[in-house]
Amino acid sequence: MPTEEWFADHMGQLGIGKDTRVVLYDARENMWATRLWWMLRTFGFDDAAVLNGGWTAWQLEGRPVSSKPCVYPATRFIPHVRPELIVGKEDVLTAIEDSTTCIVNALGRRQHRGERKEYGGRGHIPGAKNVTAWEILDRKTMRYRPLEELRKLFLPMMKAERVITYCGGGIAASSDAFVLHLLGHQNVAVYDGGLMEWSADRSLPLERGD
């Protein structure tokens, strides 16, 4: 995460301020759009939405596109930080022993089981459940699956008082966090350092298997 001063300056230059409505999209699996959405929320900006399916769905539907540059008037972005939306490894360590908190791994199943080594480590943070940032999508359109299907996938997390999502470095985790927010969970955080930070500290535990 950037500093609030850096973020406010760059958002202001893009024309994002008090009276701005923001729609975010990407050309991947929504996760980069949801990452910025989560960052905006963390810095106190709530008038943002994610375009479901992003660039992929937009093109599949034959909607208009342009190659012309687009510039909005600069404005002032005033941050109001919500520190509880981003957590560090100490918070995750505490959460492992906390029965009221559910940790969610947004990485692939093979990484979760320890069959692949990604981001410096094999396996997952102890106790973490696995809902990948890809199984929550229709892989053709890149739209999120219907809400009733997402509720089934996230049912154990919806029962927890608090949820912490993680991935390699806070991107895919933001997509899981975004869906949990859509489903109505009021206490979700993203572990920003993710498996890259966790694996770099050899004193921190990793589990293998489901």
Side-chain angles (χ1 to χ4, degrees):
M1 289 286 286
T3 64
E4 58 183 289
E5 294 80 11
W6 187 98
F7 191 80
D9 179 61
H10 282 70
M11 293 302 102
Q13 289 180 36
L14 290 173
I16 300 174
K18 181 180 177 181
D19 298 318
T20 312
R21 171 67 167 162
V22 177
V23 178
L24 305 161
Y25 74 93
D26 62 29
R28 294 287 302 275
E29 297 93 354
N30 299 331
M31 64 180 69
W32 292 94
T34 56
R35 171 63 182 185
L36 184 50
W37 183 86
W38 199 261
M39 292 169 75
L40 284 164
R41 280 195 73 223
T42 301
F43 288 109
F45 186 92
D46 291 324
D47 201 4
V50 172
L51 179 62
N52 197 8
W55 185 244
T56 299
W58 189 268
Q59 288 189 301
L60 285 172
E61 293 172 357
R63 297 185 180 273
V65 299
S66 174
S67 59
K68 295 179 180 179
C70 186
V71 179
Y72 295 92
T75 187
R76 187 182 180 198
F77 183 100
I78 302 175
H80 300 283
V81 182
R82 295 168 173 146
E84 70 276 8
L85 298 186
I86 296 287
V87 299
K89 64 182 180 181
E90 295 301 325
D91 300 285
V92 179
L93 268 172
T94 301
I96 291 173
E97 304 299 329
D98 181 4
S99 62
T100 67
T101 301
C102 182
I103 302 171
V104 183
N105 178 13
L107 294 172
R109 293 188 183 91
R110 285 183 291 174
Q111 168 63 38
H112 186 80
R113 293 192 295 261
E115 297 166 7
R116 293 182 62 176
K117 183 177 182 180
E118 296 177 335
Y119 305 104
R122 289 183 183 273
H124 56 271
I125 294 172
K129 299 186 181 300
N130 189 205
V131 180
T132 78
W134 296 272
E135 67 183 299
I136 60 179
L137 302 174
D138 177 317
R139 297 308 302 277
K140 180 180 179 181
T141 65
M142 294 302 166
R143 290 192 189 92
Y144 288 110
R145 292 167 64 175
L147 287 179
E148 58 270 20
E149 294 181 20
L150 293 173
R151 285 192 185 96
K152 290 179 182 179
L153 285 171
F154 286 99
L155 183 60
M157 302 80 183
M158 296 302 295
K159 295 178 179 178
E161 290 183 20
R162 188 187 191 207
V163 180
I164 296 174
T165 67
Y166 82 93
C167 57
I171 309 301
S174 297
S175 197
D176 273 15
F178 174 78
V179 169
L180 283 161
H181 179 83
L182 281 182
L183 294 174
H185 205 295
Q186 300 296 310
N187 194 359
V188 182
V190 170
Y191 171 30
D192 203 43
L195 195 59
M196 284 191 291
E197 179 183 67
W198 192 268
S199 298
D201 186 342
R202 298 301 179 185
S203 70
L204 297 177
L206 281 172
E207 283 185 347
R208 299 186 186 183
D210 293 325

